[in-house]
Amino acid sequence: MSKATKSVGEVFERVLGPTAAVSITAYDGSSAGPADAPVAIRVCSPLALDYLMSSPGDLGLARAYVSGALEVTGDLYAALRTLAAHVDQLRPADRLWLLRALGPRHLRRVRPPAEELPGRAQRTLSGLRHSRARDSEAISRHYDVSNRFYELILGPSMAYTCAVYPAAGSSLEEAQAHKFDLVCRKLGLEPGMRLLDVGCGWGGMVKHAVRHYGVQALGVTLSQEQARWAQKDIVANGLADRAEIRYLDYRDVAESGFDAISSIGLTEHIGARNVPAYFRFLASRLKPRGRLLNHCITNPDTGVPHRSGGFIDRYVFPDGELEAPGEIITAMHDSGLEVRHSENLREHYAATLAGWCANLETHRDAAVAEAGAGRTRVWALYLAACRLAFERREIELHQVLGVKTGEDGAAGMPLRPDWGV
């Protein structure tokens, strides 16, 4: 293969096209695109090209950005949207041209950034995938970064799941409160009922249900930092007589006879093969006519692999897996629950992520001081990329409501939904 003769600017112009609304400057002094473009990408060193050419899938871009070898000035989401639109159109002939233009030296393997985990196979030292030990380590890896770091991104609600916007102009905080209230109404909560919230995070659902619906609530999480923060907050708000947060695997919940169970953002962590057992366990903890609301990210169809891509798996959610909504519904039905309602909130998650991106940009300096520059870049890339993925329907968000019918088949459900959807 001949020696590369193209400048970095020429190579990016070939990929993005001469009319792309992004400017490129590179370490070799070359450039491409309009100088006044709203988004500017700087290729700071040859390391960026090494990562892009030698790493599979989305790992190359992630490594280049997280390492600082590639910098983005302006809206990172807008940059990803522009890049995705053009990279999706690359043909095999285009990729071959890139290889010839850049030269084989950029195919060399280089050490990934310190923030990256080893691949799935290399993580077996922590236990088999979705064993209790490995699940605990994976959850800790993501959620135990720093409570303060999450406060900067999530805002006062400390809700790290898809919000539900009652109107287009609603704030993120209003939408998170509306989400919790929607879940409470779908579960039919009333004073004196007992609620179990699995994967409770920082306790947002527990607090909302106790305050506004008068229930007794137990929340469980595998994150020590979440449990510590949430229980302290419950005590500070005078709710300790009606609410409790435990650092506990959901499989170790001994109590049963709950009137309702909420699972908001946990299914993504348990593994596709464990979904049937997951719903069987939760169904066993419900009393007859008790309801379960499962809220989780889903694949758009069953042809999409369950396992997440390289960037998400190695930097964000280790061992995360997604199922299609039909797989979730089937598993719920087969566990003995009767599915009564399903709702796709995909656009709401895109809006939620836009809010988190804005929070991180506003508090970027504080986030870097709290968690480091590399970790902050990971989260910026992850939030912006997920926003784009929801908009492009590469992933969805489904709430599915089921009920444990009595022996006589009674569900205790209204003839028509009464929760105002």
Side-chain angles (χ1 to χ4, degrees):
M1 190 171 293
S2 61
K3 183 179 179 180
T5 58
K6 303 293 183 182
S7 70
V8 175
E10 289 175 305
V11 169
F12 272 83
E13 187 170 62
R14 169 69 178 263
V15 173
L16 300 178
T19 62
V22 58
S23 67
I24 306 291
T25 56
Y27 59 87
D28 63 355
S30 62
S31 62
D36 59 348
V39 175
I41 296 175
R42 175 165 174 75
V43 184
C44 303
S45 77
L47 182 62
L49 300 180
D50 294 342
Y51 281 140
L52 290 168
M53 294 296 293
S54 65
S55 305
D58 56 8
L59 264 181
L61 176 61
R63 287 169 171 170
Y65 181 73
V66 172
S67 68
L70 186 149
E71 295 179 349
V72 176
T73 301
D75 188 353
L76 179 58
Y77 157 78
L80 291 178
R81 186 175 58 186
T82 298
L83 290 173
H86 292 275
V87 172
D88 287 349
Q89 299 173 13
L90 283 179
R91 302 165 299 170
D94 296 320
R95 298 180 188 278
L96 182 59
W97 181 89
L98 288 174
L99 180 59
R100 289 172 173 166
L102 291 170
R105 66 184 183 279
H106 291 297
L107 292 176
R108 66 188 182 94
R109 295 182 64 84
V110 290
R111 184 185 297 276
E115 291 76 14
E116 181 174 319
L117 280 177
R120 288 185 181 93
Q122 296 169 285
R123 298 202 295 266
T124 54
L125 293 177
S126 302
L128 295 176
R129 188 161 47 90
H130 297 302
S131 64
R132 290 180 180 240
R134 186 156 155 179
D135 278 352
S136 179
E137 183 175 313
I139 292 296
S140 178
R141 167 80 180 184
H142 183 81
Y143 293 100
D144 291 344
V145 175
S146 157
N147 285 327
R148 176 57 182 158
F149 182 74
Y150 279 104
E151 289 173 358
L152 296 169
I153 296 173
L154 305 181
S157 72
M158 286 297 281
Y160 190 28
T161 48
C162 174
V164 179
Y165 286 76
S170 299
S171 69
L172 177 60
E173 291 304 308
E174 291 169 338
Q176 290 293 9
H178 189 74
K179 181 264 301 294
F180 289 133
D181 205 67
L182 176 61
V183 173
C184 290
R185 285 182 278 123
K186 285 183 175 181
L187 289 173
L189 297 185
E190 296 178 357
M193 284 185 170
R194 296 173 61 227
L195 168 71
L196 171 64
D197 185 36
V198 293
C200 67
W202 288 272
M205 175 64 190
V206 166
K207 288 183 292 185
H208 189 94
V210 169
R211 280 174 173 158
H212 299 284
Y213 289 84
V215 303
Q216 295 279 334
L218 169 63
V220 297
T221 174
L222 265 180
S223 166
Q224 288 185 334
E225 289 297 315
Q226 284 183 337
R228 186 179 300 114
W229 191 100
Q231 186 60 33
K232 182 179 179 180
D233 191 57
I234 281 173
V235 171
N237 282 276
L239 304 176
D241 60 328
R242 292 172 289 159
E244 179 188 0
I245 303 294
R246 296 178 191 166
Y247 168 56
L248 189 71
D249 192 302
Y250 77 89
R251 292 165 285 196
D252 293 327
V253 174
E255 294 92 333
S256 61
F258 289 97
D259 297 280
I261 298 176
S262 51
S263 171
I264 305 175
L266 177 57
T267 319
E268 299 91 331
H269 297 289
I270 66 174
R273 71 168 184 263
N274 296 324
V275 168
Y278 172 71
F279 286 118
R280 286 196 301 270
F281 179 85
L282 296 185
S284 75
R285 293 302 184 262
L286 282 171
K287 64 170 54 174
R289 302 190 184 188
R291 301 183 194 180
L292 165 69
L293 188 287
N294 191 76
H295 167 124
C296 71
I297 302 171
T298 55
N299 282 328
D301 60 66
T302 55
V304 178
H306 290 135
R307 298 185 185 184
S308 55
F311 167 57
I312 293 294
D313 180 66
R314 296 196 186 197
Y315 285 90
V316 186
F317 289 114
D319 297 330
E321 297 182 25
L322 303 180
E323 298 77 41
E327 294 174 288
I328 297 291
I329 290 173
T330 297
M332 288 180 69
H333 258 304
D334 290 350
S335 74
L337 297 169
E338 181 181 34
V339 173
R340 302 300 298 249
H341 189 267
S342 177
E343 181 176 9
N344 187 351
L345 298 168
R346 176 172 65 87
E347 293 87 353
H348 291 264
Y349 216 158
T352 303
L353 285 153
W356 292 341
C357 287
N359 284 345
L360 180 55
E361 185 61 29
T362 298
H363 303 294
R364 180 175 284 270
D365 290 344
V368 170
E370 185 67 29
R375 184 59 57 189
T376 300
R377 283 194 292 266
V378 167
W379 252 248
L381 182 60
Y382 143 62
L383 295 176
C386 285
R387 175 187 174 187
L388 185 62
F390 278 106
E391 290 180 348
R392 288 159 59 100
R393 198 180 165 243
E394 294 169 0
I395 45 179
E396 301 174 352
L397 188 289
H398 278 80
Q399 284 189 354
V400 182
L401 178 66
V403 62
K404 183 177 182 179
T405 57
E407 292 184 1
D408 60 354
M413 296 287 297
L415 289 176
R416 296 294 298 158
D418 61 354
W419 45 80
V421 296

XYZ file of all heavy atoms in Angstrom, residues 22-97:
553
model
N -19.630 21.934 9.489
C -18.633 21.677 10.524
C -17.257 22.029 9.956
O -16.972 21.776 8.785
C -18.683 20.201 10.991
C -18.453 19.250 9.832
C -17.674 19.930 12.102
N -16.428 22.646 10.779
C -15.071 22.972 10.341
C -14.090 21.997 10.982
O -14.285 21.550 12.108
C -14.711 24.407 10.721
O -14.615 24.540 12.128
N -13.054 21.687 10.245
C -12.024 20.763 10.706
C -10.677 21.466 10.663
O -10.316 22.078 9.650
C -11.954 19.504 9.813
C -13.316 18.814 9.686
C -10.902 18.538 10.337
C -13.808 18.161 10.948
N -9.945 21.387 11.770
C -8.542 21.804 11.767
C -7.728 20.645 12.315
O -8.221 19.874 13.147
C -8.315 23.057 12.633
O -8.776 22.807 13.964
C -9.055 24.253 12.063
N -6.497 20.524 11.858
C -5.711 19.350 12.228
C -4.290 19.729 12.604
O -3.790 20.811 12.280
C -5.709 18.345 11.077
N -3.642 18.788 13.265
C -2.280 18.959 13.754
C -1.279 19.191 12.629
O -0.196 19.750 12.846
C -1.859 17.727 14.556
C -1.905 16.445 13.772
C -0.822 16.022 13.007
C -3.054 15.666 13.764
C -0.873 14.858 12.252
C -3.120 14.491 13.032
C -2.033 14.098 12.280
O -2.104 12.952 11.539
N -1.619 18.774 11.396
C -0.691 18.954 10.271
C -0.868 20.303 9.587
O -0.276 20.566 8.531
C -0.849 17.817 9.254
C -2.222 17.780 8.603
O -3.102 18.582 9.007
O -2.437 16.945 7.696
N -1.706 21.167 10.184
C -1.915 22.498 9.627
C -3.009 22.579 8.587
O -3.332 23.670 8.115
N -3.597 21.459 8.221
C -4.643 21.455 7.204
C -6.004 21.754 7.832
O -6.176 21.691 9.055
C -4.682 20.102 6.485
O -5.006 19.065 7.408
N -6.975 22.063 6.981
C -8.313 22.362 7.468
C -9.327 22.004 6.396
O -8.981 21.749 5.235
C -8.437 23.838 7.842
O -8.223 24.658 6.716
N -10.602 22.019 6.797
C -11.690 21.740 5.864
C -12.959 22.333 6.435
O -13.069 22.574 7.640
C -11.855 20.233 5.655
N -13.919 22.592 5.545
C -15.200 23.109 5.986
C -15.178 24.603 6.205
O -14.111 25.234 6.269
N -16.362 25.207 6.361
C -16.444 26.667 6.548
C -15.879 27.088 7.900
O -16.166 26.480 8.928
C -17.950 26.942 6.468
C -18.613 25.643 6.800
C -17.692 24.575 6.291
N -15.078 28.136 7.892
C -14.428 28.592 9.126
C -15.435 29.071 10.162
O -15.157 29.035 11.361
C -13.437 29.706 8.792
N -16.609 29.530 9.717
C -17.604 30.046 10.652
C -18.680 29.012 10.983
O -19.776 29.363 11.423
C -18.261 31.302 10.081
C -18.951 31.040 8.738
O -18.729 29.951 8.158
O -19.713 31.914 8.281
N -18.389 27.748 10.764
C -19.363 26.693 11.056
C -19.714 26.687 12.544
O -18.864 26.998 13.390
C -18.807 25.336 10.641
N -20.947 26.337 12.902
C -21.345 26.331 14.307
C -20.636 25.268 15.143
O -20.590 25.374 16.368
C -22.851 26.063 14.247
C -23.065 25.392 12.926
C -22.057 25.989 11.999
N -20.104 24.247 14.497
C -19.374 23.185 15.189
C -17.985 23.070 14.591
O -17.818 23.069 13.369
C -20.108 21.835 15.066
C -19.279 20.718 15.679
C -21.486 21.904 15.719
N -16.984 23.005 15.472
C -15.598 22.884 15.030
C -14.966 21.644 15.655
O -15.098 21.410 16.861
C -14.798 24.123 15.411
N -14.306 20.851 14.830
C -13.606 19.659 15.294
C -12.117 19.874 15.076
O -11.685 20.255 13.983
C -14.074 18.399 14.539
C -15.555 18.124 14.833
C -13.217 17.193 14.906
C -16.127 16.964 14.043
N -11.341 19.622 16.115
C -9.889 19.735 16.010
C -9.269 18.361 16.201
O -9.491 17.711 17.233
C -9.325 20.705 17.042
C -7.805 20.745 17.030
C -7.234 21.919 17.772
N -5.790 21.843 17.855
C -4.956 22.095 16.845
N -5.441 22.447 15.674
N -3.657 22.006 17.002
N -8.553 17.909 15.199
C -7.799 16.652 15.291
C -6.439 17.025 15.857
O -5.578 17.550 15.147
C -7.681 15.981 13.908
C -6.987 14.627 14.049
C -9.056 15.822 13.265
N -6.251 16.768 17.144
C -5.104 17.325 17.863
C -3.807 16.567 17.646
O -2.724 17.142 17.799
C -5.410 17.374 19.363
S -6.884 18.319 19.774
N -3.900 15.293 17.312
C -2.684 14.502 17.157
C -2.968 13.285 16.292
O -4.132 12.908 16.092
C -2.160 14.045 18.518
O -2.925 12.950 19.009
N -1.899 12.624 15.778
C -2.106 11.403 14.985
C -2.805 10.308 15.777
O -3.391 9.393 15.191
C -0.675 10.986 14.610
C 0.118 12.249 14.679
C -0.481 13.039 15.803
N -2.778 10.391 17.114
C -3.444 9.387 17.940
C -4.930 9.301 17.616
O -5.517 8.217 17.649
C -3.245 9.717 19.425
C -3.847 8.742 20.439
C -3.228 7.365 20.302
C -3.658 9.283 21.857
N -5.549 10.429 17.290
C -6.968 10.407 16.938
C -7.211 9.511 15.730
O -8.170 8.725 15.702
C -7.449 11.828 16.647
N -6.351 9.614 14.719
C -6.501 8.772 13.529
C -6.185 7.317 13.836
O -6.814 6.407 13.282
C -5.597 9.289 12.412
C -5.870 10.725 11.950
C -4.894 11.111 10.842
C -7.308 10.884 11.480
N -5.221 7.080 14.735
C -4.923 5.709 15.137
C -6.165 5.054 15.737
O -6.500 3.905 15.416
C -3.794 5.691 16.183
C -2.458 6.165 15.620
O -2.312 6.176 14.379
O -1.582 6.532 16.418
N -6.837 5.784 16.633
C -8.048 5.248 17.255
C -9.153 5.039 16.223
O -9.818 3.998 16.186
C -8.543 6.203 18.341
C -7.793 6.117 19.654
C -7.488 7.277 20.363
C -7.417 4.894 20.190
C -6.822 7.224 21.582
C -6.739 4.824 21.402
C -6.446 5.986 22.100
O -5.785 5.926 23.307
N -9.378 6.039 15.368
C -10.470 5.961 14.407
C -10.286 4.824 13.410
O -11.254 4.166 13.018
C -10.598 7.294 13.650
C -11.114 8.484 14.466
C -10.920 9.779 13.693
C -12.580 8.302 14.831
N -9.051 4.572 13.001
C -8.799 3.563 11.975
C -8.662 2.150 12.540
O -8.976 1.175 11.865
C -7.532 3.925 11.193
C -7.668 5.196 10.372
S -8.919 5.056 9.072
C -8.169 3.840 8.003
N -8.185 2.028 13.779
C -7.873 0.697 14.303
C -8.942 0.127 15.221
O -8.898 -1.058 15.553
C -6.546 0.738 15.078
O -6.670 1.553 16.241
N -9.912 0.951 15.637
C -10.898 0.493 16.605
C -12.217 0.175 15.912
O -12.663 0.928 15.044
C -11.143 1.571 17.671
O -9.931 1.949 18.281
N -12.888 -0.908 16.305
C -14.149 -1.274 15.655
C -15.311 -0.407 16.104
O -15.353 0.100 17.224
C -14.354 -2.724 16.134
C -13.658 -2.767 17.468
C -12.467 -1.871 17.327
N -16.279 -0.237 15.204
C -17.518 0.436 15.547
C -17.318 1.830 16.108
O -16.506 2.619 15.610
N -18.077 2.116 17.180
C -18.040 3.451 17.770
C -16.892 3.640 18.752
O -16.701 4.726 19.287
C -19.366 3.756 18.474
C -19.732 2.715 19.528
O -18.897 1.841 19.833
O -20.866 2.784 20.042
N -16.106 2.593 18.972
C -15.001 2.699 19.928
C -13.948 3.700 19.471
O -13.340 4.391 20.293
C -14.346 1.338 20.145
C -14.795 0.518 21.353
C -14.010 -0.784 21.419
C -14.633 1.304 22.643
N -13.690 3.764 18.160
C -12.639 4.651 17.671
C -12.925 6.102 17.991
O -12.064 6.815 18.524
N -14.132 6.552 17.664
C -14.505 7.932 17.953
C -14.486 8.187 19.455
O -14.005 9.234 19.919
C -15.892 8.241 17.393
C -16.450 9.634 17.700
C -15.550 10.710 17.119
C -17.870 9.774 17.165
N -14.989 7.234 20.233
C -15.006 7.400 21.693
C -13.595 7.542 22.241
O -13.317 8.422 23.056
C -15.710 6.210 22.341
N -12.707 6.684 21.816
C -11.330 6.739 22.316
C -10.653 8.051 21.924
O -9.943 8.654 22.730
C -10.549 5.543 21.769
C -10.930 4.212 22.415
C -10.343 3.027 21.678
N -10.539 1.787 22.430
C -10.296 0.569 21.953
N -9.848 0.433 20.699
N -10.498 -0.490 22.707
N -10.866 8.480 20.693
C -10.249 9.727 20.249
C -10.756 10.908 21.061
O -9.980 11.782 21.468
C -10.523 9.940 18.761
N -12.070 10.931 21.344
C -12.654 12.061 22.070
C -12.313 12.006 23.555
O -11.915 13.020 24.147
C -14.168 12.067 21.875
C -14.857 13.220 22.582
C -14.744 14.514 22.103
C -15.589 13.014 23.745
C -15.359 15.581 22.750
C -16.209 14.067 24.405
C -16.090 15.346 23.909
O -16.685 16.383 24.564
N -12.458 10.840 24.169
C -12.204 10.720 25.609
C -10.740 11.017 25.929
O -10.425 11.639 26.954
C -12.607 9.319 26.113
C -12.175 9.117 27.563
C -14.119 9.124 25.997
N -9.824 10.605 25.060
C -8.398 10.833 25.287
C -7.997 12.290 25.108
O -6.919 12.698 25.547
C -7.573 9.971 24.324
O -7.742 10.413 22.985
N -8.842 13.067 24.436
C -8.500 14.452 24.122
C -7.754 14.601 22.818
O -7.372 15.717 22.447
N -7.545 13.490 22.097
C -6.865 13.572 20.807
C -7.738 14.220 19.748
O -7.253 14.688 18.718
C -6.436 12.178 20.343
N -9.033 14.240 19.996
C -9.989 14.904 19.120
C -10.882 15.778 19.995
O -11.457 15.301 20.976
C -10.812 13.868 18.351
C -11.788 14.383 17.278
C -11.914 13.353 16.158
C -13.165 14.664 17.868
N -10.967 17.055 19.666
C -11.753 17.998 20.458
C -12.906 18.565 19.629
O -12.788 18.713 18.411
C -10.877 19.148 20.955
C -9.784 18.711 21.923
C -8.921 19.873 22.370
O -9.034 20.971 21.767
O -8.124 19.697 23.304
N -13.999 18.877 20.309
C -15.163 19.473 19.657
C -15.478 20.795 20.333
O -15.618 20.863 21.557
C -16.389 18.548 19.731
C -17.617 19.236 19.129
C -16.119 17.227 19.012
N -15.570 21.845 19.549
C -15.995 23.150 20.043
C -17.394 23.414 19.509
O -17.631 23.315 18.311
C -15.045 24.263 19.569
O -13.721 23.970 20.039
C -15.479 25.608 20.109
N -18.306 23.759 20.408
C -19.702 23.922 20.021
C -20.524 22.774 20.559
O -20.123 22.061 21.488
N -21.687 22.558 19.988
C -22.634 21.555 20.460
C -22.181 20.162 20.038
O -22.154 19.839 18.846
C -24.017 21.877 19.884
C -25.110 20.990 20.469
O -24.790 20.051 21.218
O -26.291 21.249 20.167
N -21.828 19.312 21.026
C -21.367 17.963 20.722
C -22.464 17.149 20.039
O -22.193 16.372 19.118
C -20.910 17.275 22.008
C -20.404 15.838 21.881
C -19.230 15.750 20.919
C -20.002 15.301 23.256
N -23.698 17.328 20.471
C -24.819 16.627 19.843
C -24.922 16.998 18.362
O -25.102 16.125 17.499
C -26.115 16.959 20.579
C -27.361 16.770 19.765
C -27.893 15.500 19.551
C -28.019 17.872 19.196
C -29.036 15.330 18.788
C -29.161 17.707 18.440
C -29.671 16.433 18.237
O -30.799 16.271 17.478
N -24.801 18.286 18.038
C -24.872 18.724 16.640
C -23.722 18.122 15.836
O -23.905 17.743 14.662
C -24.842 20.249 16.565
N -22.558 18.027 16.463
C -21.416 17.420 15.772
C -21.681 15.947 15.469
O -21.421 15.473 14.356
C -20.161 17.567 16.621
N -22.216 15.218 16.454
C -22.507 13.792 16.241
C -23.575 13.603 15.172
O -23.496 12.676 14.363
C -22.959 13.160 17.553
C -21.903 13.025 18.649
C -22.521 12.434 19.907
C -20.729 12.170 18.180
N -24.567 14.469 15.185
C -25.639 14.361 14.189
C -25.073 14.568 12.786
O -25.427 13.837 11.844
C -26.719 15.402 14.488
C -27.954 15.283 13.586
C -29.023 16.264 14.022
N -28.526 17.636 14.005
C -29.230 18.667 14.446
N -30.433 18.489 14.954
N -28.718 19.891 14.376
N -24.176 15.543 12.632
C -23.557 15.782 11.326
C -22.676 14.613 10.916
O -22.730 14.129 9.778
C -22.720 17.074 11.357
O -23.583 18.180 11.641
C -22.021 17.300 10.034
N -21.856 14.135 11.844
C -20.964 13.020 11.531
C -21.749 11.769 11.176
O -21.422 11.065 10.218
C -20.047 12.740 12.728
C -18.974 13.796 13.023
C -18.268 13.479 14.328
C -17.969 13.884 11.884
N -22.809 11.488 11.956
C -23.584 10.272 11.707
C -24.232 10.297 10.338
O -24.255 9.286 9.616
C -24.649 10.109 12.791
N -24.749 11.447 9.952
C -25.429 11.554 8.661
C -24.492 11.244 7.506
O -24.903 10.657 6.494
C -26.014 12.956 8.504
N -23.223 11.620 7.652
C -22.268 11.400 6.568
C -21.592 10.032 6.655
O -21.391 9.374 5.632
C -21.219 12.517 6.553
C -21.776 13.844 6.167
N -21.929 14.244 4.858
C -22.240 14.876 6.920
C -22.452 15.452 4.821
N -22.652 15.861 6.046
N -21.253 9.607 7.866
C -20.589 8.309 8.015
C -21.524 7.180 7.601
O -21.097 6.171 7.030
C -20.112 8.124 9.474
C -19.605 6.703 9.698
C -19.006 9.132 9.785
N -22.828 7.345 7.844
C -23.799 6.323 7.446
C -23.799 6.087 5.939
O -24.195 5.018 5.468
C -25.218 6.734 7.871
C -25.430 6.602 9.374
O -24.555 6.012 10.031
O -26.459 7.090 9.872
N -23.367 7.103 5.186
C -23.402 6.999 3.725
C -22.102 6.439 3.140
O -21.999 6.270 1.920
C -23.684 8.385 3.124
C -25.020 8.978 3.553
C -25.205 10.410 3.081
O -24.451 10.900 2.240
N -26.204 11.096 3.611
N -21.123 6.165 3.985
C -19.846 5.664 3.474
C -20.026 4.287 2.828
O -20.623 3.384 3.414
C -18.825 5.566 4.612
C -18.184 6.870 5.082
C -17.228 6.592 6.231
C -17.445 7.558 3.935
N -19.493 4.132 1.649
C -19.523 2.859 0.941
C -18.197 2.129 1.181
O -17.204 2.737 1.612
C -19.715 3.088 -0.551
C -20.999 3.858 -0.909
C -20.908 4.347 -2.346
N -19.755 5.255 -2.521
C -19.324 5.677 -3.705
N -19.901 5.271 -4.811
N -18.283 6.489 -3.779
N -18.144 0.829 0.892
C -16.861 0.106 1.031
C -15.734 0.769 0.254
O -14.594 0.817 0.721
C -17.195 -1.284 0.474
C -18.663 -1.448 0.759
C -19.257 -0.074 0.568
N -16.054 1.318 -0.919
C -15.017 1.977 -1.721
C -14.487 3.223 -1.005
O -13.298 3.539 -1.096
C -15.577 2.355 -3.094
N -15.377 3.925 -0.295
C -14.952 5.106 0.450
C -14.002 4.714 1.577
O -13.004 5.401 1.836
C -16.165 5.835 1.026
C -17.086 6.393 -0.046
O -16.562 6.908 -1.042
O -18.311 6.295 0.119
N -14.332 3.635 2.272
C -13.483 3.193 3.376
C -12.109 2.752 2.870
O -11.090 2.975 3.526
C -14.174 2.062 4.136
C -15.499 2.504 4.777
C -16.186 1.390 5.534
N -17.516 1.790 5.978
C -17.772 2.497 7.062
N -16.782 2.885 7.835
N -19.010 2.815 7.391
N -12.086 2.110 1.713
C -10.809 1.705 1.132
C -9.990 2.935 0.762
O -8.764 2.972 0.977
C -11.062 0.832 -0.102
C -9.808 0.289 -0.803
C -8.979 -0.558 0.150
C -10.211 -0.520 -2.039
N -10.658 3.952 0.240
C -9.947 5.197 -0.096
C -9.353 5.821 1.160
O -8.206 6.316 1.136
C -10.913 6.173 -0.751
C -10.258 7.465 -1.160
C -9.653 7.741 -2.345
C -10.112 8.643 -0.344
N -9.144 9.024 -2.344
C -9.411 9.600 -1.117
C -10.498 8.992 0.934
C -9.094 10.871 -0.646
C -10.188 10.260 1.423
C -9.504 11.176 0.649
